[in-house]
Amino acid sequence: MHGEFLISALVTLLVVVDPLGLVPIFTSLTARLPAATRRAVALRAALIAFLILCGAALVGDWLLRQLGIGLPAFRIAGGLLLFSIASEMVFGVRIVRESNTAESAVEDDHARDIAAFPLAIPLMAGPGAITAVILLAGRTYGDPLLLGELIAMIAVVMTACLIAFMIGPRITKLLGVTGNIVMERLLGVILAALAVQFVIDGVRAVWN
């Protein structure tokens, strides 16, 4: 149980957050900053996103109850949202949309700190990631150990983002355009399968 949950949580979060996919956006946003400042921005963005996702894991289920939303309904809605994100990845739309969002935020001067916005929100801890965390937290059924494992996986994924921001440009260059496209499509298919499973779990819970 614990091993399956760990793998499911790690794969889901890695695919939804997509650290390598965020590298070109991070690079473009911080291109004119000194290396030390880029590292500081990356670290702060990862920390902010980690806190947001941990908050979703700890209070997301309680918030749903206060709003009168059952977990099965949220599983179905969340699964559909994740499937939408997966379809964008498969058809190559997601990165273009996120790049446009980031550029618009900076150009319009809506954010004074790019670490908080648009990096942490909505790119690293966006609706898809928050939804995935709440769905995964619902699968812990209040088990403190499983919840701790989920928070640990969030930390692992945020660390992966931090490392990707530091060495990502070299990895992206190594993979080349074709390699990056193939990886994006493959991750999209995996996320689509996970999303469908969330919907199936929600429908099964409602049916029962």
Side-chain angles (χ1 to χ4, degrees), residues 159-179:
T159 302
C161 285
L162 184 59
I163 295 173
F165 291 159
M166 296 297 97
I167 66 173
R170 280 174 282 180
I171 297 176
T172 302
K173 187 176 180 180
L174 180 65
L175 289 174
V177 176
T178 302

Side-chain angles (χ1 to χ4, degrees), residues 3-79:
E4 292 178 2
F5 179 78
L6 275 175
I7 295 173
S8 176
L10 180 60
V11 171
T12 301
L13 291 174
L14 276 176
V15 172
V16 172
V17 177
D18 190 14
L20 284 180
L22 294 177
V23 169
I25 302 173
F26 174 81
T27 302
S28 65
L29 289 175
T30 60
R32 298 181 181 180
L33 299 178
T37 305
R38 282 201 303 271
R39 287 192 294 270
V41 168
L43 181 59
R44 187 174 184 189
L47 180 59
I48 293 172
F50 172 75
L51 293 175
I52 291 170
L53 295 181
C54 282
L58 295 173
V59 304
D61 186 52
W62 172 85
L63 181 60
L64 290 179
R65 289 198 304 270
Q66 298 305 307
L67 295 174
I69 301 173
L71 187 59
F74 192 80
R75 280 177 176 164
I76 295 172

Side-chain angles (χ1 to χ4, degrees), residues 30 35 44 51 53 65 69 75-76 78 96 100 121 123 126 135 142 149-151 156 183 197-198 202:
T30 60
R44 187 174 184 189
L51 293 175
L53 295 181
R65 289 198 304 270
I69 301 173
R75 280 177 176 164
I76 295 172
V96 175
N100 291 337
I121 309 170
L123 298 179
L135 290 173
E149 290 178 351
L150 174 57
I151 291 175
V156 168
M183 181 174 293
Q197 186 60 55
F198 279 128

